[in-house]
């Protein structure tokens, strides 16, 4: 089962996180979710997916703005 895989494809990450594939790619492009490449394949470490989900605002919380640089 994908729940126990240490490395996921974007499609598997979306399935596991109950997010659409576009939401996964949006997070990757916004550099909020780390993806790695192996040739042409994008891969997401399960620990990176977990870290991404942990930083999402909790229900009822306002999203925090990122500090400007």
């Amino acid at each position: 089962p994908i729940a126990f895989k240490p490395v996921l494809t974007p499609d598997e990450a979306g399935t596991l996180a109950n997010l659409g594939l576009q939401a996964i790619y949006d997070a990757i492009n916004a550099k909020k979710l780390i993806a790695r490449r192996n040739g042409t394949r994008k891969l997401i470490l399960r620990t990176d997916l977990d870290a991404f989900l942990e930083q999402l605002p909790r229900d009822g919380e306002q999203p925090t703005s990122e500090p400007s640089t």
Side-chain angles (χ1 to χ4, degrees), residues 21-49:
L21 186 57
Q22 189 60 52
I24 295 295
Y25 278 110
D26 289 347
I28 292 169
N29 292 333
K31 306 218 184 298
K32 293 181 178 182
L33 176 59
I34 299 169
R36 289 148 168 55
R37 281 204 176 273
N38 182 16
T40 59
R41 295 184 67 203
K42 282 190 192 231
L43 301 172
I44 300 166
L45 297 180
R46 174 61 191 269
T47 53
D48 291 332
L49 178 63

Side-chain angles (χ1 to χ4, degrees), residues 6 38 42 56 64 69:
N38 182 16
K42 282 190 192 231
L56 292 175
T64 56
T69 54

